[in-house]
């Protein structure tokens, strides 16, 4: 059946939105909200899958990475955060020294890892100079390792404390070895919600300015959105609209990563979590709204493996990486994945089970290896594959 047949809908407004999407036209914020309000799971999924396959066919990307979380001590108190500990209670948390972090890096010597992802709490004593030194040491040890590090929240605090502008601070980190930025700390940009869930950290304009600054220096970055708590559909679209505008301006974003709110052990434990259906609808609308973002990622440690697999039919074309049990952010918030690690063979299997094409990428989406014709049993025995 032609897609023009599939987009026929009893609701004329939904059909018009579907026609725009198939014609490659941009949808408006009001149309984005309407998709959330009225779009059935199947209609949204069909449209999102159409866009996903137009952009990427069956390709589903993953990478081989690990995380370093320097500390969970944090000057902020975001209501949804189960991970951080205030400085006054730092004995309940952790603070890694440079040497401890370099030991982690050295632990991956001779392993075909392409990326280290460094994010953590905003520690009042771990300053810009400390992290510049860490960047230099990592690059001196393994120059080819891509360093994706520091949320805009961490950077904003680091730069303010060092009394440097975003441009100066970013230049110093970039020259020391920082290659790109992750997308964390965005949460929900709209002040009505931001005030309630993370009032004291950098606001929307500050977050966007840090990413704009990185993009202007030729660095790429990702963007997240924490969804499924107290925000309304309008707030989600407002969030994505701000990202879409910045992407029009700079083109520096690679990937949008929706992050599902989890309610264990935080100050929002009374707020129910979103259903899997609502998760899939969100992924689909994100794929349709962010027409200038090349990639949409499902972060499997937060969603769980089977749900991550499901997202591949709702616009997602990237499943992040092997991770190697090196993050605690979502396990502490109640995710089913308490020790998140997947071997390459497991990731490839997950992707092949839903008849997609597993492709290993680097951080910037250069393709490293297509696993379509690689047998999973060979991945287990060949160290270069695993
Ligand atoms: S979400 Fe980040 S900034 Fe907020 S309290 Fe947790 S670690 Fe700190």
């Amino acid at each position: 059946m032609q897609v023009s047949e599939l987009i026929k809908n009893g609701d004329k407004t939904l059909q018009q939105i579907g026609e725009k999407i198939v014609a490659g036209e941009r949808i408006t914020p009001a149309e984005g909200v309407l998709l959330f309000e009225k779009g059935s799971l199947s209609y949204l999924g069909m449209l999102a899958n159409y866009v996903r396959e137009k952009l990427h066919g069956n390709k589903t990307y993953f990478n081989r990475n690990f995380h370093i979380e320097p500390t969970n001590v944090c000057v902020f108190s975001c209501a949804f955060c189960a991970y951080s500990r205030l400085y006054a209670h730092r004995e309940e948390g952790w603070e890694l020294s440079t040497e401890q972090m370099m030991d982690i890096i050295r632990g991956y010597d001779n392993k075909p890892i392409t990326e280290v992802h460094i994010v953590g709490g905003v520690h009042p004593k771990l300053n810009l100079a400390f992290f510049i030194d860490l960047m230099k040491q990592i690059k001196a040890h393994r120059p080819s390792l891509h360093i994706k590090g520091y949320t805009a929240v961490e950077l904003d605090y680091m730069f303010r404390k060092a009394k440097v502008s975003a441009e100066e601070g970013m230049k110093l980190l970039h020259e020391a070895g920082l290659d790109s930025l992750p997308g964390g700390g965005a949460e929900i940009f709209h002040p009505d919600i931001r005030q309630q869930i993370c009032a004291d950290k950098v606001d929307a304009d500050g977050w966007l300015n840090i990413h704009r600054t990185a993009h202007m220096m030729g660095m790429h970055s990702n963007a997240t959105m924490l969804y499924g708590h107290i925000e309304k559909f309008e707030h989600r679209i407002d969030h994505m609209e701000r990202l879409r505008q910045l992407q029009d301006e700079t083109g520096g974003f690679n990937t949008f990563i929706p992050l599902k709110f989890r309610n264990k052990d935080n100050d929002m434990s009374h707020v129910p979590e979103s259903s899997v259906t609502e998760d899939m609808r969100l992924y689909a609308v994100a794929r349709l709204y962010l027409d200038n973002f090349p990639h949409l990622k499902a972060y499997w440690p937060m969603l769980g493996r089977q749900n991550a697999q499901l997202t591949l039919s709702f616009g997602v074309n990237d499943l992040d990486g092997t991770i190697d049990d090196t993050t605690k952010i979502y396990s502490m918030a109640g995710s089913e994945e308490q020790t998140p690690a997947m071997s390459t063979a497991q990731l490839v299997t997950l992707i092949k089970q839903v008849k997609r094409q597993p492709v290993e990428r680097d951080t910037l989406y250069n393709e490293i290896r297509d696993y379509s014709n690689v047998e999973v049993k060979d991945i287990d025995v060949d160290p270069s594959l695993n």
Side-chain angles (χ1 to χ4, degrees):
M1 195 185 289
Q2 295 287 320
V3 72
S4 53
E5 282 298 308
L6 290 171
I7 55 175
K8 286 196 174 143
N9 195 291
D11 184 308
K12 282 289 155 240
T13 329
L14 275 181
Q15 182 170 327
Q16 280 163 7
I17 299 173
E19 284 165 358
K20 278 178 88 170
I21 288 164
V22 171
E25 289 172 31
R26 174 164 282 189
I27 60 172
T28 65
E31 289 168 337
V33 172
L34 211 124
L35 285 176
F36 273 125
E37 286 172 349
K38 291 188 166 182
S40 67
L41 183 63
S42 58
Y43 195 64
L44 296 179
M46 180 273 297
L47 285 173
N49 195 50
Y50 169 79
V51 173
R52 181 247 204 255
E53 292 188 357
K54 197 165 109 182
L55 288 171
H56 305 290
N58 272 323
K59 283 182 182 173
T60 300
Y61 294 104
F62 67 94
N63 71 348
R64 293 199 254 192
N65 64 349
F66 63 99
H67 291 218
I68 293 181
E69 294 174 358
T71 182
N72 68 338
V73 174
C74 190
V75 297
F76 299 120
S77 315
C78 304
F80 56 81
C81 184
Y83 166 84
S84 66
R85 296 293 178 270
L86 287 169
Y87 189 68
H89 303 290
R90 61 190 182 283
E91 69 289 346
E92 296 168 13
W94 68 86
E95 301 172 17
L96 300 182
S97 66
T98 303
E99 204 38 42
Q100 286 172 313
M101 289 191 266
M102 288 308 298
D103 281 344
I104 297 173
I105 298 279
R106 285 188 281 266
Y108 288 92
D109 284 357
N110 305 316
K111 292 190 182 165
I113 290 280
T114 56
E115 172 192 284
V116 57
H117 174 112
I118 305 176
V119 296
V122 181
H123 192 294
K125 299 260 156 69
L126 301 184
N127 59 18
L128 181 60
F130 175 86
F131 286 118
I132 287 173
D133 177 59
L134 178 67
M135 297 294 95
K136 287 182 178 164
Q137 291 207 35
I138 294 173
K139 284 292 181 182
H141 180 73
R142 191 164 172 174
S144 63
L145 188 65
H146 184 107
I147 308 177
K148 181 174 67 163
Y150 312 113
T151 64
V153 176
E154 293 168 270
L155 293 171
D156 173 69
Y157 184 85
M158 224 186 274
F159 297 162
R160 281 191 290 117
K161 203 133 194 226
K163 297 192 171 33
V164 296
S165 66
E167 288 77 14
E168 290 165 331
M170 196 73 73
K171 189 160 178 283
L172 288 168
L173 281 170
H174 189 36
E175 285 171 356
L178 181 66
D179 293 299
S180 66
L181 306 189
E187 323 312 358
I188 289 284
F189 288 143
H190 197 287
D192 289 353
I193 302 298
R194 206 168 182 84
Q195 274 301 315
Q196 295 183 63
I197 64 172
C198 55
D200 48 359
K201 69 186 185 188
V202 66
D203 64 8
D205 287 346
W207 190 100
L208 292 163
N209 189 48
I210 295 268
H211 283 256
R212 179 182 290 107
T213 306
H215 297 171
M216 292 306 182
M217 277 174 205
M219 298 164 77
H220 284 273
S221 72
N222 294 334
T224 59
M225 175 172 76
L226 184 76
Y227 73 93
H229 43 90
I230 57 169
E231 88 288 2
K232 303 262 189 300
F233 296 147
E234 287 79 2
H235 300 124
R236 295 179 182 181
I237 292 294
D238 172 79
H239 189 94
M240 290 192 268
E241 175 59 23
R242 295 182 203 226
L243 291 172
R244 197 167 74 169
Q245 285 182 14
L246 180 55
Q247 180 74 332
D248 278 345
E249 189 186 320
T250 66
F253 287 118
N254 276 334
T255 314
F256 181 60
I257 313 158
L259 297 175
K260 179 185 172 100
F261 164 73
R262 309 304 303 244
N263 65 7
K264 184 172 164 245
D265 290 339
N266 60 33
D267 292 342
M268 293 169 70
S269 293
H270 57 287
V271 178
E273 294 180 0
S274 59
S275 66
V276 175
T277 310
E278 194 51 37
D279 295 337
M280 297 307 135
R281 285 160 48 81
L282 180 278
Y283 278 96
V285 175
R287 181 60 283 170
L288 301 175
Y289 199 79
L290 292 171
D291 57 358
N292 53 5
F293 271 62
H295 304 285
L296 178 65
K297 181 191 287 188
Y299 188 55
W300 66 263
M302 168 267 300
L303 265 188
R305 296 169 201 218
Q306 290 179 352
N307 291 342
Q309 219 172 16
L310 208 52
T311 64
L312 299 182
S313 297
F314 290 87
V316 167
N317 68 295
D318 188 320
L319 287 185
D320 199 78
T322 45
I323 298 180
D324 208 18
D325 193 14
T326 47
T327 176
K328 293 193 175 61
I329 294 178
Y330 275 93
S331 55
M332 288 173 80
S335 166
E336 296 75 14
E337 297 284 349
Q338 284 298 300
T339 52
M342 267 206 266
S343 66
T344 305
Q346 286 173 313
L347 262 169
V348 166
T349 303
L350 206 75
I351 295 165
K352 284 189 171 180
Q353 277 172 343
V354 287
K355 311 298 175 218
R356 297 291 193 186
Q357 179 187 351
V359 178
E360 185 190 349
R361 61 162 175 87
D362 66 13
T363 310
L364 303 178
Y365 289 85
N366 299 302
E367 295 185 6
I368 294 177
R369 191 191 298 265
D370 185 338
Y371 281 81
S372 304
N373 298 317
V374 178
E375 293 287 333
V376 170
K377 64 178 171 39
D378 296 333
I379 303 176
D380 280 332
V381 292
D382 182 344
S384 78
L385 294 170
N386 197 4

